[in-house]
Amino acid sequence: MFDDIRAEARKLLRRPAIWTLLAVALTLSLIFTYIVPYAGYAGGTSGPTADRGLAAMLPDQLVGNAIGGLPVFLGALMLILGVLTVGSEYAWGTWKTVLTQDPSRVRVYAAKLVVALLAALAGVLAVFAAGAAASALIASGESAPLDWPAAGDVLVGIGAGWLIAAMWTVLGALLAVALRGVALPVGLGLVWLLAVQSLLSLIAAPLLDWVAQVQKGLPGPNAGSLVAALGGGTDTPGVEAVVGGGQATLVIAAYVIAFAALGGATLRRRDIL
Amino acid sequence: MTNPVVTQRLTKRYGSLTAVDALDLEVRAGEVYGFLGPNGAGKTTTLRMLLGLIKPTSGEVRLFGVPPGRPGHLARVGSLVEGPAFYPYLSGSDNLKAMARHARVGAGRIALVLDQVDLTGRARDRYASYSLGMKQRLGVAAALLKDPRLVVLDEPTNGLDPAGMADMRLLVRRLGAAGCTVLLSSHLMTEVQELCDRVGVISRGRLVAESTVAELRGDRTLRIVADPLEAAAGTARDLIGADAVSVRDGGLDLNVAPGRAPEINAALVRAGIAVHELTARERSLEQAFFDLTAPDPASTPPPPLTGLKTEQNYV
Ligand SMILES: Nc1ncnc2c1ncn2[C@@H]1O[C@H](COP(=O)(O)OP(=O)(O)O)[C@@H](O)[C@H]1O
Ligand SMILES: [Mg+2]
């Protein structure tokens, strides 16, 4: 197993696409959490987030800001990470080369998930670090107080962020196995995350009560609820307290386990061409 | 000792198509076994089942006595099935490093196998930049990582230029000489004839013949040119049965042991027929192959261009 993890780590770390994902994740979170709001604040424009103004960008808001993107856009990037890790073996036909070296399918799959989840953690940590740097810069530029959140809160935030990231990553891996490739899983995953989720919560749930009830069990709303419970601004897309933080944590953890088990079982059963 | 490869009534069906049909295959230790069949015959499907990549619809597979899915099933088995496949962004040697980890083989093997396939000079280049021949050789290198006792090669010369083909055949010969068991699939009779000790011929999923190359070439026939030909054909039919006589190219082909030539000659002469030519002919391996794999005229329409269909399935 350890050897398989090292093999997977080599494949992931050497892959340019993975570093592109990380760069996109950092750029997007800085732009939408700090640069655009700060530009708006500095220019005195009124907008949907303007009333929170400077306060929302200061270091004490780090946790909510850092994990605020995970229900939607950072989540989408995490899903792509999961799809790439597993789906490329189909796209390049490399499953046969790997599996005829004699590792068990489930072991390779587990190794892939371990490596992808470590990469997801690294991504979450990088977003925290970039957010900390940006907020410190803004605070000192505006002579605002440099109040950092308690270390415990930061740790809980990182843990929650990782959990949400893990759910999307493992979902990406599952889609890759189910659809045996990269393109379709990425496409369908993004349609779900970026379009269907917001249609459900913005249009369907207010109209139909049963949709509102179903929402409480879906991945996205639970991720949004966990972020909201940890101080994420509810003006961020996808962040909304549909259920409590504790329940959201349990539901997300259950999804991680279920997606992982389902993907492993499917890979084990199916023919590899 | 258990045989490297044993299958029992191995069958794979895709919907109504039976790709492999109750195949009993046995490859013995140390031999180079040719798995010969036209495109679409079921060679790749069989090899995939051997390696546990796809599950048989029914029947059994054992490699060195171990069935697929059990630990150690491929412990000392190397393979290259349906072309090489690697990570395009990694170099040849980084690809092998990753595969060696999966195989739990020390990194020391990598330089060795690269050398064996003559790829050391380009090992640091990205796989994506390799020519087809180099990709194929890297595929063989990966197959050799485990220092295998059995190597399964699926049409390893496909798409190679003549020099590449010669290299690949030399490699197979060396493996065989080193005592490694080789299972080599091919649709080229000459290749099998040149490299293999024993041959199994597969046609439409069935093993239609299995023997040494010499035996497969097998049946000898008598060729007779005589005048009048019709009378000669009649006499021959009376003597050896109508099934064994065919008229072709202004002569007769008799499917009969050459030892009966004097007897047949005497009968023709007694019937007042002038015998111009009477020769024993050995069937070429090529003819044997066509005879064995030609669609049975009795069975309803033979699948046309199955080979093409196969290619498209895996693009
Ligand atoms: N995954 C698949 N789905 C449907 N048919 C298949 C599949 N794989 C192979 N076949 C069919 O099985 C037959 C045997 O194919 P194959 O084993 O690739 O032949 P060969 O390797 O001898 O050229 C062909 O008719 C092919 O079209
Ligand atoms: Mg084939």
Side-chain angles (χ1 to χ4, degrees):
Chain A
M1 175 81 187
F2 190 61
D3 279 318
D4 295 307
I5 291 176
R6 292 186 62 174
E8 293 303 331
R10 176 184 298 274
K11 296 178 203 173
L12 185 119
L13 289 175
R14 297 285 177 90
R15 188 165 178 183
I18 299 298
W19 297 101
T20 308
L21 275 184
L22 180 64
V24 170
L26 291 178
T27 311
L28 286 182
S29 29
L30 284 180
I31 288 178
F32 289 110
T33 325
Y34 296 104
I35 297 175
V36 169
Y38 184 72
Y41 164 79
T45 341
S46 66
T49 55
D51 48 334
R52 285 178 72 203
L54 184 63
M57 295 172 253
L58 293 180
D60 62 345
Q61 296 299 309
L62 175 63
V63 173
N65 282 339
I67 61 178
L70 280 165
V72 183
F73 80 87
L74 281 181
L77 295 173
M78 295 295 173
L79 180 124
I80 296 176
L81 168 69
V83 173
L84 287 181
T85 308
V86 174
S88 300
E89 302 278 356
Y90 292 96
W92 290 322
T94 39
W95 268 131
K96 67 179 180 195
T97 317
V98 170
L99 295 178
T100 51
Q101 298 300 334
D102 204 28
S104 91
R105 292 188 187 188
V106 171
R107 218 174 57 215
V108 178
Y109 193 67
K112 280 189 175 301
L113 292 188
V114 167
V115 169
L117 293 186
L118 289 177
L121 174 60
V124 170
L125 289 175
V127 171
F128 265 88
S135 61
L137 214 68
I138 290 173
S140 56
E142 296 290 329
S143 324
L146 262 178
D147 291 336
W148 293 103
D153 290 347
V154 173
L155 277 182
V156 169
I158 290 173
W162 191 20
L163 188 66
I164 299 169
M167 175 176 70
W168 297 124
T169 307
V170 179
L171 174 60
L174 168 63
L175 288 176
V177 172
L179 302 169
R180 297 193 245 214
V182 170
L184 195 56
V186 166
L188 291 182
L190 293 191
V191 167
W192 174 264
L193 254 157
L194 303 181
V196 178
Q197 267 194 173
S198 40
L199 290 178
L200 282 177
S201 68
L202 296 179
I203 295 174
L207 291 176
L208 301 169
D209 185 53
W210 66 268
V211 175
Q213 293 305 316
V214 170
Q215 284 277 81
K216 293 180 180 172
L218 291 180
N222 275 282
S225 303
L226 181 52
V227 171
L230 295 177
T234 44
D235 40 26
T236 315
V239 177
E240 188 188 352
V242 180
V243 296
Q247 182 183 333
T249 307
L250 288 180
V251 172
I252 295 170
Y255 269 122
V256 172
I257 294 166
F259 289 157
L262 198 57
T266 310
L267 176 66
R268 199 182 126 97
R269 192 169 44 79
R270 288 258 196 96
D271 282 355
I272 302 275
L273 293 185
Chain B
M1 210 192 103
T2 42
N3 280 321
V5 179
V6 176
T7 74
Q8 276 165 8
R9 305 201 57 74
L10 189 62
T11 302
K12 181 72 177 183
R13 275 191 277 276
Y14 291 110
S16 63
L17 177 100
T18 305
V20 175
D21 194 358
L23 195 75
D24 292 315
L25 196 67
E26 199 179 288
V27 179
R28 300 170 196 149
E31 72 181 350
V32 178
Y33 186 96
F35 195 38
L36 182 65
N39 284 330
K43 302 182 295 294
T44 302
T45 305
T46 303
L47 301 185
R48 284 193 177 121
M49 286 192 281
L50 294 183
L51 298 170
L53 292 173
I54 65 179
K55 291 202 175 55
T57 308
S58 62
E60 307 246 325
V61 171
R62 297 274 185 285
L63 299 186
F64 296 106
V66 184
R70 289 286 161 74
H73 163 62
L74 300 175
R76 294 291 297 278
V77 180
S79 59
L80 174 55
V81 173
E82 190 96 319
F86 290 95
Y87 306 103
Y89 58 91
L90 290 181
S91 69
S93 65
D94 279 343
N95 266 295
L96 290 184
K97 277 180 198 156
M99 295 308 167
R101 290 251 178 241
H102 285 306
R104 281 149 291 157
V105 162
R109 289 285 305 161
I110 292 167
L112 229 67
V113 296
L114 280 170
D115 192 49
Q116 249 174 305
V117 300
D118 207 11
L119 208 56
T120 310
R122 298 291 304 273
R124 296 185 159 279
D125 296 347
R126 275 179 359 132
Y127 176 73
S129 72
Y130 283 7
S131 70
L132 184 65
M134 291 162 66
K135 288 177 176 171
Q136 194 84 349
R137 278 185 276 155
L138 189 66
V140 174
L144 298 180
L145 272 176
K146 282 177 280 186
D147 192 12
R149 285 184 296 160
L150 167 67
V151 176
V152 176
L153 298 173
D154 186 21
E155 310 212 24
T157 56
N158 253 13
L160 298 186
D161 61 17
M165 282 184 161
D167 283 351
M168 193 60 71
R169 288 175 186 165
L170 183 64
L171 215 121
V172 171
R173 230 178 264 121
R174 278 196 195 135
L175 286 173
C180 185
T181 308
V182 181
L183 170 50
L184 172 86
S185 91
S186 178
H187 66 272
L188 302 171
M189 300 133 280
T190 45
E191 182 166 282
V192 165
Q193 191 166 11
E194 195 182 316
L195 295 175
C196 299
D197 305 316
R198 259 182 352 124
V199 192
V201 179
I202 182 174
S203 170
R204 282 165 295 146
R206 290 172 171 273
L207 197 67
V208 291
E210 188 180 48
S211 63
T212 63
V213 171
E215 279 167 13
L216 182 64
R217 192 185 290 120
D219 302 359
R220 290 155 66 89
T221 57
L222 278 181
R223 170 85 180 159
I224 294 175
V225 181
D227 194 39
L229 197 59
E230 268 316 303
T235 306
R237 283 190 188 108
D238 290 344
L239 201 65
I240 61 171
D243 285 352
V245 180
S246 51
V247 181
R248 191 170 61 84
D249 297 338
L252 301 177
D253 281 337
L254 307 190
N255 207 342
V256 70
R260 294 185 69 180
E263 172 197 351
I264 294 165
N265 188 32
L268 291 173
V269 171
R270 261 200 315 277
I273 295 162
V275 177
H276 298 294
E277 189 187 324
L278 197 158
T279 41
R281 277 206 183 168
E282 201 172 37
R283 252 192 337 169
S284 71
L285 187 63
E286 182 153 358
Q287 189 60 45
F289 179 62
F290 277 132
D291 291 352
L292 283 167
T293 58
D296 178 359
S299 74
T300 38
L305 296 179
T306 336
L308 275 184
K309 226 166 37 186
T310 312
E311 310 274 4
Q312 283 165 0
N313 279 342
Y314 300 118
V315 165

